[in-house]
Amino acid sequence: MSERLGLDQLEMRGNFIQRHIGPDREQAQAMLAALGLERLEDLIDKVVPADILNREPLKLTETISERAVIKYLRRMRERNQVLTSMIGMGYYDTILPSVIKRNVLENPGWYTAYTPYQAEVSQGRLEALLNFQQMIIDLTGMELANASLLDEATAVAEAMTMSRRLAKSSSNLVVVDRDCHPQTIAVVQTRASSLGYRVLVTDPFDALEQHEFFALILQYPGCSGEIHDLTAPIAIAHQKQALATVAADLLSLVLLKPPAALDADIAVGSAQRFGVPMGYGGPHAAYFATRDEFKRSVPGRIIGVSRDVHGQMALRMALQTREQHIRRDKATSNICTSQVLLAVIAGFYAVYHGAAGLRLIAGRVHRYAQILAAGIVESGHQVVSLCYFDTIVVRMPNRAKRIAAQAEEAGINLRVIDADHVGISLDETTTRDHLRALWQVFVSPVADLPDINGLDGRLSECIPEKLLRGDAILRHPVFSLYHSETEMMRYMRRLARRDIALDRSMIPLGSCTMKLNAATEMQAISFYEFNAMHPFVPLYQAQGYQQLFAELEDMLCDLTGFQAFSFQPNAGSQGEYTGLLVIRKFHDINGQSQRTVCLIPASAHGTNPASAALAGLQVVVVACDDHGNVSVDDLRAKLAEHGDRVAALMITYPSTHGVYEQAFRQICELVHQAGGQVYMDGANFNALVGLCRPGAIGADVMHLNLHKTFCIPHGGGGPGVGPIGVREHLAPFLPDHPVVEGVNPLKGEHGTVGTVSAAPWGSASILTISWAYIAMMGAAGLKRATLTALLNANYVARRLAPHYPILYTDANGWVAHECIIDCHEFKKTANVSVEDIAKRLIDYGFHAPTVAFPVADTLMIEPTESENQAEIDRFCDAMIAIRHEIREIEAGRAAIDNNLLHNAPHTHRLLLQQWNLPYSRQQALFPDSHQHDDKYWPPVGRIDNVYGDRHVFCSCPLDWTEADSGAV
Ligand SMILES: *Cc1c(COP(=O)(O)O)cnc(C)c1O
């Protein structure tokens, strides 16, 4: 590492470690003393099982300073050569308005927020997501939209599985338009094959009647740019009792008749070109819209309107979507982390431009495409596209490659479709100069270039009248109020300040690792050479990215003990699914395809069984013992029972109970003896970094959540990255890609598991964040971070133990990096639920810990290494004060149905009414002195979830009365 980094400019070496880790030396000493320890290293002996410890030195010995990291990444970005992209295929250049870039993408108030489970402290991002849903509803014409999925290709795959659940057809065939994006077809094929569906890729206008099928998937406009009237194939799908999905380009829908008007059942697509940079593949938000009658089957989260206890309008996640994977192997989808930050940006893009602005942008793109085509025709070439929005295909017999090379010399990437055809896709950034440059490429050097203004006057509309849209879009006031930058800036700030994110206080969410997302780590995502790159450019243009992947892979292999990583999965859930496919493939080529049982401990996160079901595996639950560990006896019994049908064990380590099991190695050995493979859920890797290499102690595959352990911010519920690491025998099967070669360089004769995301390296642009974190911390810094995370968690456990029972500890009373406090007694003694405690914490200015996972009636607290003693004490003080408030109820001194917890959170509105609560304003609103300096005012009181689920309303209400009249 040191050579590669050229470490000559290390003027501030080591500083960052102290910036990242909260407690300074004195605080760490004090906290250690409270635990009866002397040195941080003592935690290793006390807490971590000796047989999992890594004794080999790591290669990551160097650290570089914040300044040096930026310099280094600048050099890396220079190796990315950004050309004008006209490749299309689902990725288009776009202009992210500066006001949104500065106030959202680069604002920790937005990017450090958590998924909006605690709706009262999330009203800002919930409103932004509701705007996104409204925009999708308007553009697609559908009745209902969700608040984002991971990418267009996986959204199509989700549409396919939803079609299987809802379609009456008993066929197992999926018909896919051959003019779909190739990455979409590949992802559908992967997903279909693990579920046992057949896929037919064909021309939907040719003999569709001959087939029985349950899902029809169409692209609108097609990948070639051609726009077809899809009414006829959709009608056939309906005759066949199948559901029809239209993957539609959002910008084209500004002009085109929406999918709903074609009678589509599901509309999906990417919101990338609404202001989100291409980023060499991601992250971007996909959208998913459907009919109201299907609302209970929709994958991902839906934001809906409800009301709070005061009758005030309030937003929250609707229906089952709050915790979809809670249904485990019966779940509709395994999606957990999605793409909230990117959906927020796309929604704001529509808010800022409004209907007229979008019409201008879409209209210009279309006009330029027509002018370009006319000029190419004038110069004697054949444009084969008949009806198009922004993409044309030019026929160049045997010359496609040569033309593309010439265009490249002129600074433009075209799509080479085959030897005879090139595709050209225009976008918001296209100018007249680009058109002239292209003509120069197509026109013979001596001929005159066409005259743009002359052509402009002679164009006739190529989209038939019946496919042009006639209805108004974006009529809701939010899309017309904020078109000046001043108003826009204030609107975004108004929303941000309604929320609690990490820029306000600690967010002690167990299993989610809400640690520092340092400003330096975030810088490279704003570098043009990282974010303006199309994912399908030739590799020689993307050498900076290739270097980033290689270096990050080396770093992660070093830390985990695995031999190879795939960055393709866009979240932990996708990593799980991919890892299980890799395991299935391994068994298949070893003649063991009967191995279809996946053992999963009862304590596992809901995504584990949901992913196993998606991978076509049968879930068998392994019990946990009284200490929360996997029951080795039950594991033996299940292995004996299922014998050579066992494919894998999925195990989370340390467990979701926040404890290092002693038997991890033994468990892995038992599974291996039975011929199974070990999948490790690495969401809790923050307790292991620098101490333990899972690949060396028994795990065969593991996903990491880079948005947990490796500092990619949560973004309010995404983006995430869920790369998987594998041991050598599994590396050949890691995903590849239909468009870009060399994604899995170890691919062998048996092929790979296929493609699991639209982009070859998933959400490539945010990998710079994790790279920067590891580069600045080095092995020593990372180990120190891990030990501090253990210190902080054990300190919390020690402080709270006299007040709340700690549910699980190891034999000596230690926890790992998080702890679970048991609150179930309070229901009996004081009629207080964990929910009440969570909401009361808001009055103290805190976001609640994880509620009711992995055990009902508990709170799981993970302070992470980034919080210092003062902040942790402030949180513990609040928890202890709340315990005291519960005691007041238990003792009968506070009313059982009218008390500080029951009525929490308390809002400013209470101050405007006659005060008739049986406690003081100060107790309610200023429970400790911290609120005097900096009071967080929740914008709404306790939200009524049941009301919202009975009166489902998931678009922007004009006012409260309209939301009410939308009741069903
Ligand atoms: C967060 C988490 C997951 C799911 O990861 P996503 O990135 O949200 O898909 C799986 N398992 C555990 C234990 C987790 O904490």
Side-chain angles (χ1 to χ4, degrees), residues 729-743:
H729 63 289
L730 299 177
F733 315 128
L734 289 175
D736 59 5
H737 196 271
V739 182
V740 179
E741 296 219 2
V743 172

Side-chain angles (χ1 to χ4, degrees), residues 623-634:
C624 289
D625 65 19
D626 294 344
H627 304 289
N629 298 322
V630 173
S631 159
V632 176
D633 288 340
D634 193 48

Side-chain angles (χ1 to χ4, degrees), residues 302-495:
I302 305 174
I303 309 309
V305 181
S306 186
R307 62 183 189 190
D308 72 0
V309 284
H310 311 298
Q312 204 80 36
M313 186 181 92
L315 307 175
R316 91 286 174 250
M317 293 194 238
L319 303 168
Q320 81 286 5
T321 66
R322 280 185 290 275
E323 280 278 22
Q324 207 158 60
H325 44 266
I326 217 162
R327 298 182 57 216
R328 307 185 85 85
D329 49 329
K330 307 273 181 318
T332 45
S333 155
N334 67 340
I335 302 260
C336 179
T337 293
S338 59
Q339 300 281 21
V340 169
L341 190 68
L342 301 313
V344 165
I345 289 174
F348 279 143
Y349 178 94
V351 165
Y352 194 45
H353 286 300
L358 289 186
R359 227 175 280 120
L360 200 70
I361 294 167
R364 192 177 52 223
V365 170
H366 180 51
R367 198 67 172 169
Y368 278 178
Q370 290 177 291
I371 295 173
L372 174 69
I376 290 178
V377 169
E378 189 149 294
S379 67
H381 299 292
Q382 187 192 354
V383 171
V384 296
S385 310
L386 299 173
C387 173
Y388 55 85
F389 164 63
D390 64 355
T391 298
I392 59 170
V393 175
V394 186
R395 191 173 141 77
M396 304 293 297
N398 285 320
R399 285 181 55 211
K401 272 205 174 136
R402 192 137 42 99
I403 281 287
Q406 280 166 353
E408 200 178 313
E409 246 165 67
I412 298 173
N413 283 321
L414 302 183
R415 174 183 178 207
V416 179
I417 298 171
D418 56 31
D420 306 327
H421 297 92
V422 291
I424 311 174
S425 293
L426 306 190
D427 60 50
E428 186 188 359
T429 66
T430 308
T431 62
R432 286 164 178 249
D433 285 343
H434 289 128
L435 303 188
R436 288 194 196 94
L438 280 169
W439 284 333
Q440 214 125 38
V441 170
F442 282 94
V443 173
S444 74
V446 282
D448 284 340
L449 284 185
D451 166 23
I452 287 188
N453 294 326
L455 286 173
D456 199 6
R458 287 190 275 128
L459 299 175
S460 57
E461 182 51 62
C462 71
I463 304 173
E465 187 68 32
K466 63 172 180 173
L467 285 178
L468 284 171
R469 101 178 275 162
D471 58 339
I473 52 165
L474 306 184
R475 278 176 310 163
H476 189 274
V478 76
F479 297 108
S480 51
L481 288 172
Y482 309 112
H483 293 172
S484 82
E485 181 164 331
T486 303
E487 286 304 316
M488 187 68 191
M489 170 179 73
R490 289 181 189 152
Y491 177 54
M492 293 186 293
R493 155 145 172 125
R494 200 155 70 234
L495 294 189

Side-chain angles (χ1 to χ4, degrees), residues 229-251:
D229 182 352
L230 303 175
T231 322
I234 290 174
I236 298 172
H238 289 156
Q239 280 161 26
K240 302 273 181 183
Q241 312 273 8
L243 261 54
T245 296
V246 172
D249 174 82
L250 221 41
L251 192 62

